[in-house]
Amino acid sequence: MTDTSLFLAAANGHNTERAPIWIMRQAGRYLPEYRAIKAKHSFWEMARTPELACEITLQPLRRFGLDAAILFQDIMTPLPPMGVKIEFAPGPVFAEPVRSARAIDALRVPGKDEIAPFVAEAIKLIREACPVPLIGFGGAPLTLATYMIEGGSSKDFEAFRGFLRQEPEAAHRLLDKLTEVSIRYLTMQVEAGAQAIQLFDSWAGLHDARSYRAFAKPYNRRIFEALAPYRIPRLYLAVDALHLYGEIKELPCEVVSVDWRAPLSQVRPLLGGKTLQGNLDPAVLLAPKGVIAQEAERVLREGLGGPHIFNLGHGIMRQTDPDSVAQLVELVRRYDRVKVREASAS
Ligand code: CP3
């Protein structure tokens, strides 16, 4: 198998000889070359200028032998065309949180080509220059709704959780609109050349299984089903969601991204035959070399029971030394899963 197809093979359920590796938030503030561009442009300028978005996507690939690229955008990208104003400081800040049925009914559902034509252009530029598969992505409807209603990041998202309980019907209308926009936005990415799609449900873990079944699962399912005809691997991330894996197992996606809170060997039986992605604690990359090696090897060993894509359990921290990432990538690339399995069998 060539190195260029390794990520797609593992994502499609093959138990590959070595685990492909990419890093969540691999393009970003821990890289000096990203900060140099950031010093001259706002977040939206970077995201909406295809040449800059392409350049930033490729930056980590030049440094590290990563097995996949992820498009430089944000989960917020499809929201301004719906009629909401968002700035980054550095997290998303909404000019006006969406807190009423009227505000929800006023949201537009833009056409496929209106949402983000700059993303289609960026994807085409990246595909011309990129040696490894390109992952497109979007936010899951419930996670997008979390930010829209809260108005930005928060510790407990109290406004959002209150709204779900007080106005469930309006919440469903919002989730329905976000689902439709996400389907248009993500199918556009695949048609432009994205070779896999990851759906980020960063805040799914806030909810119990009943709420997840009501407010998350049917919408995520609709998005994954809309992507099915394209036959690209579909990846799903939910953070702090061990209690939801019984539901997540039933989603039509090929890969589940697992955070660091439970070992892959414990999670695997809960998710049927899906490929597991993860799950090194991002804080490990702040540790000395010996600790990084020990912890990465533990994750690799726990991943041996089936298809595995190595990644962090959540986004890389901005204090991370890029040399530590280089060390991690080398270690994962050298780890021969077949040999280790044979040695432990004999
Ligand atoms: O390299 C990549 O991973 C691609 C780009 C990417 C960004 N955001 C760019 C970005 C991806 C995949 C995202 C996803 C994203 N954005 C998620 C889901 C993943 C997760 O972490 O749970 C969420 C919840 C957001 C919302 C968001 N955008 C937050 C909370 C923040 C600020 C804090 C942070 O983590 O940096 C952003 C801003 C943002 N998005 C930056 C980048 C590179 C930092 C902007 C800056 O340079 O100041």
Side-chain angles (χ1 to χ4, degrees), residues 25-27 29 34 38 71 73-74 90-91 147 200 202 314:
R25 298 292 192 94
Q26 62 193 27
R29 283 178 291 176
Y34 170 82
K38 178 75 204 289
L71 175 68
Q73 284 298 325
D74 196 79
Y147 283 106
F200 285 96
S202 308
H314 204 176

Side-chain angles (χ1 to χ4, degrees), residues 6 11 48 51 53 59 66 98 136 141 154 182 199 207 224 236 241 247-248 278 288 291 300 327 337:
L6 196 67
R48 289 173 181 158
E51 292 74 17
Q59 281 179 342
L66 296 160
V98 178
S154 147
S182 298
L199 200 61
H207 308 278
F224 286 133
Y236 179 69
E247 307 299 327
I248 291 170
V291 176
L300 284 161
Q327 180 207 342
R337 304 177 82 222

Side-chain angles (χ1 to χ4, degrees), residues 274-287:
K274 292 190 198 297
T275 296
L276 301 188
Q277 176 171 274
N279 70 342
L280 187 72
D281 182 344
V284 166
L285 285 178
L286 307 180

Side-chain angles (χ1 to χ4, degrees), residues 92-327:
V93 180
F94 287 66
E96 284 176 62
V98 178
R99 291 241 175 107
S100 65
R102 249 183 66 212
I104 287 168
D105 294 335
L107 289 170
R108 296 184 58 230
V109 178
K112 198 174 185 173
D113 300 328
E114 275 178 87
I115 297 173
F118 52 89
V119 168
E121 271 182 64
I123 289 174
K124 286 176 191 144
L125 293 177
I126 297 164
R127 284 299 308 275
E128 282 169 23
C130 185
V132 290
L134 174 65
I135 305 167
F137 74 93
L142 188 68
T143 285
L144 294 175
T146 307
Y147 283 106
M148 285 174 102
I149 290 177
E150 197 72 36
S153 291
S154 147
K155 191 164 142 291
D156 297 315
F157 291 99
E158 289 172 0
F160 174 65
R161 286 154 69 205
F163 189 87
L164 273 191
R165 303 301 177 181
Q166 290 149 8
E167 303 259 15
E169 280 163 24
H172 279 297
R173 287 208 298 285
L174 174 60
L175 292 163
D176 183 63
K177 282 188 173 182
L178 289 168
T179 301
E180 187 50 42
V181 171
S182 298
I183 288 172
R184 293 178 189 185
Y185 177 56
L186 294 171
T187 53
M188 177 277 281
Q189 290 186 35
V190 180
E191 285 167 9
Q195 291 150 289
I197 290 289
Q198 178 153 323
L199 200 61
F200 285 96
D201 214 349
S202 308
W203 296 107
L206 285 175
H207 308 278
D208 65 8
R210 274 189 68 227
S211 303
Y212 185 87
R213 273 198 300 277
F215 294 109
K217 194 178 179 186
Y219 300 103
N220 293 336
R221 175 183 291 282
R222 245 167 80 191
I223 293 174
F224 286 133
E225 282 173 354
L227 291 169
Y230 296 93
R231 302 184 158 276
I232 44 113
R234 298 160 293 182
L235 294 77
Y236 179 69
L237 165 135
V239 182
D240 207 355
L242 201 54
H243 60 295
L244 301 175
Y245 280 178
E247 307 299 327
I248 291 170
K249 178 186 178 186
E250 294 173 356
L251 287 175
C253 62
E254 284 67 36
V255 182
V256 172
S257 208
V258 178
D259 74 30
W260 63 91
R261 290 173 178 85
L264 295 178
S265 51
Q266 180 189 326
V267 165
R268 196 177 288 284
L270 307 177
L271 289 170
K274 292 190 198 297
T275 296
L276 301 188
Q277 176 171 274
N279 70 342
L280 187 72
D281 182 344
V284 166
L285 285 178
L286 307 180
K289 275 183 175 244
V291 176
I292 297 175
Q294 196 184 341
E295 289 295 297
E297 273 172 33
R298 185 179 55 75
V299 168
L300 284 161
R301 215 169 37 245
E302 282 162 356
L304 285 173
H308 180 206
I309 298 167
F310 195 98
N311 206 319
L312 305 183
H314 204 176
I316 189 167
M317 295 175 175
R318 67 175 169 283
Q319 316 86 301
T320 306
D321 181 346
D323 289 344
S324 299
V325 178
Q327 180 207 342

